[in-house]
Amino acid sequence: MDTRSHTVIDPQTRPAPRPGRVNLVGLSRQEMADALLATGLVTEKQARMRASQIWHWVYHYGVTDFAAMTNMAKGLRAQLPEHFTLDRPEVVEAQVSQDGTRKWLLRYGPGVEAETVFIPDVGKAGALCVSSQVGCTLNCTFCHTGTQRLVRNLTAGEIVGQVMLARDALGEWPSRGAGPEKVGTGFSSGAATPKYPEDRRLSNIVFMGMGEPLYNLDHVATAMDIIADHEGIGISRRRVTVSTSGVVPKITELGERTGAMLAISLHAPDDELRNQLVPLNKKYPIAELMDACRAYPGLSNAKRITFEYVMLKGVNDSDAHAKALIQLLKGVPAKINLIPFNPWPGTDYECSDWATIERFGTLLNKAGYASPIRTPRGRDILAACGQLKSESEKQWAAKSRLRPAT
Ligand code: SAH
Ligand code: SF4
């Protein structure tokens, strides 16, 4: 069996978004209705109904061609492409790991590239790891993305586009064999709920790709509204996890606006060590971070916070570290994800020995914490945690604009 990963360079089949027209992917129903009205193709009365129909075609069926929208008049279908597109992000490179993990390098504009990774057999069925920024303004010392130079926030459409692209690639849009079904208006609560296949492979979403999602919360929240809508992509908010390195002032807002599951990149049980590994800790130290965690909306034993802990040999992996971690998390509904460090070119860190990781996990388990060791996935194509990096360059001048005034 050929177990090598393979690379598909595929710039032609995914055209870059065409300039001058609005991409409807990423727009809410209301924004679609407004955009339709602005073209003059529909009356005010028709705009909402047409927007609901288009919404359904775009987000439920994943169509990329207005001609397929068979419950709309032919004339309208022919005119829509003059104003709008349904483009996906341009795929520069698609790779498949020997373990089934898939990675796409996406181009959002000249030199603006980010990565998306699909990991089978995670969560209910499989998880898509999406990027929220191109690169990252933070510089966690063990993270490849943190060494990247160009940074800009991705728009809601660019985030949603990652999910749509993965559904395309996995062939996961519902079939249209039965003809157009009843479409709810979505503007009211009485909308019809369509049936989704039970065996979907893409069941969960994790904001664990490139970037710090809480430095782009507006777009992340809008993207989640679209992704979770039951008349569209329909992935429940409980199956979406947002990981943060600890942007304390935005944590409550994340819970209130999105209802997402929270993951914290903790990596160290004390400020001295965390300051070295996650420099943002100097701004928001552990005590403040833990207060924000305790106050996370909806927190319960059924909705625990995941604390991510990268295992770095001789740095944060001793018994004393494990005991300090147990003390720190007392009283917080938590599970701990132990992440074997994924090496990347140029790093000085090494992954802890397997026996050390297991010993660390056993100590946490004995203290009552679920502490699964995250199996590294897609290492051969640099798709594992913290290995993502595109060739885009960080715009240092733009850095301050990306950080909310906190
Ligand atoms: N910026 C956010 C979202 C990225 S999530 C955050 O930091 O939480 C990516 C996860 O992988 C984080 O927990 C991050 O700390 C971890 N990570 C980064 N580099 C890694 C590496 N080289 N090996 C293993 N995990 C890594
Ligand atoms: Fe940015 Fe997260 Fe990497 Fe830190 S771990 S540099 S916050 S992507």
Side-chain angles (χ1 to χ4, degrees):
M1 190 176 75
D2 184 1
T3 53
R4 285 170 305 172
S5 63
H6 57 276
T7 301
V8 188
I9 309 264
D10 181 17
Q12 268 87 39
T13 52
R14 297 271 182 203
R18 288 155 279 189
R21 290 183 293 166
V22 175
N23 190 351
L24 293 181
V25 175
L27 299 195
S28 67
R29 282 188 188 78
Q30 189 59 55
E31 286 167 341
M32 277 189 193
D34 294 344
L36 281 172
L37 194 58
T39 62
L41 294 176
V42 297
T43 65
E44 202 164 348
K45 234 174 132 190
Q46 293 166 334
R48 283 181 147 210
M49 200 254 289
R50 293 291 178 220
S52 288
Q53 289 173 319
I54 294 175
W55 170 283
H56 200 71
W57 286 113
V58 173
Y59 293 127
H60 177 64
Y61 287 123
V63 306
T64 51
D65 185 356
F66 291 101
M69 300 182 178
T70 45
N71 56 352
M72 293 197 295
K74 268 197 176 147
L76 180 62
R77 278 188 264 160
Q79 281 169 308
L80 287 170
E82 290 168 23
H83 302 270
F84 304 113
T85 72
L86 300 169
D87 287 335
R88 307 294 197 249
E90 179 191 0
V91 177
V92 181
E93 191 176 16
Q95 289 176 286
V96 184
S97 159
Q98 52 187 286
D99 68 15
T101 300
R102 295 169 180 230
K103 181 170 90 164
W104 295 273
L105 175 64
L106 307 175
R107 183 179 295 143
Y108 291 107
V112 182
E113 294 174 354
E115 293 181 318
T116 302
V117 179
F118 174 72
I119 313 149
D121 313 315
V122 170
K124 189 172 173 233
L128 188 71
C129 179
V130 297
S131 292
S132 55
Q133 297 182 310
V134 175
C136 186
T137 53
L138 300 172
N139 300 295
C140 301
T141 46
F142 52 86
C143 176
H144 203 195
T145 307
T147 66
Q148 189 178 326
R149 290 189 15 233
L150 175 94
V151 177
R152 85 156 166 79
N153 282 335
L154 293 178
T155 64
E158 288 167 341
I159 294 169
V160 174
Q162 296 173 51
V163 182
M164 315 242 335
L165 178 100
R167 276 237 172 127
D168 292 348
L170 296 169
E172 293 230 309
W173 295 107
S175 82
R176 277 177 280 142
E181 57 192 81
K182 186 173 177 290
V183 178
T185 67
F187 286 102
S188 66
S189 56
T193 307
K195 295 230 178 318
Y196 295 95
E198 284 301 314
D199 56 349
R200 276 198 283 180
R201 284 194 287 165
L202 200 181
S203 58
N204 293 62
I205 301 220
V206 293
F207 281 82
M208 294 187 183
M210 288 179 171
E212 170 47 61
L214 297 198
Y215 278 159
N216 188 17
L217 184 52
D218 285 344
H219 293 158
V220 167
T222 306
M224 270 191 69
D225 288 344
I226 294 169
I227 290 165
D229 193 293
H230 289 301
E231 283 189 46
I233 296 169
I235 295 177
S236 138
R237 293 171 187 276
R238 296 291 297 266
R239 292 196 203 281
V240 180
T241 301
V242 175
S243 175
T244 176
S245 57
V247 184
V248 168
K250 292 278 169 183
I251 289 178
T252 302
E253 191 183 335
L254 171 76
E256 283 170 351
R257 286 177 69 177
T258 70
M261 303 295 284
L262 177 65
I264 300 284
S265 295
L266 189 62
H267 308 314
D270 62 81
D271 282 326
E272 197 187 340
L273 182 55
R274 195 163 190 269
N275 285 347
Q276 289 171 33
L277 301 178
V278 184
L280 185 68
N281 193 71
K282 294 179 200 153
K283 195 166 181 189
Y284 307 121
I286 289 180
E288 290 178 27
L289 180 58
M290 294 311 295
D291 284 346
C293 287
R294 283 188 200 94
Y296 192 65
L299 189 61
S300 69
N301 276 338
K303 194 177 173 188
R304 292 165 188 258
I305 296 176
T306 301
F307 289 89
E308 296 159 280
Y309 198 96
V310 65
M311 298 302 295
L312 302 168
K313 190 178 197 160
V315 176
N316 64 355
D317 61 352
S318 71
D319 289 3
H321 290 120
K323 286 175 191 157
L325 184 58
I326 292 163
Q327 275 305 113
L328 181 69
L329 297 183
K330 263 208 171 114
V332 181
K335 57 185 171 201
I336 303 156
N337 235 325
L338 298 180
I339 316 177
F341 170 66
N342 291 307
W344 37 272
T347 181
D348 290 334
Y349 291 111
E350 286 175 67
C351 183
S352 307
D353 299 328
W354 197 253
T356 309
I357 300 177
E358 286 193 330
R359 186 186 162 88
F360 200 93
T362 304
L363 285 172
L364 301 177
N365 264 315
K366 280 192 183 148
Y369 291 101
S371 51
I373 302 170
R374 195 185 286 170
T375 325
R377 306 292 298 268
R379 269 188 177 175
D380 54 335
I381 55 169
L382 283 183
C385 292
Q387 291 186 312
L388 304 186
K389 178 177 175 170
S390 61
E391 292 308 313
S392 314
E393 300 215 335
K394 212 178 247 177
Q395 289 164 332
W396 290 102
K399 253 175 90 168
S400 54
R401 275 191 285 119
L402 291 168
R403 294 186 177 176
T406 49

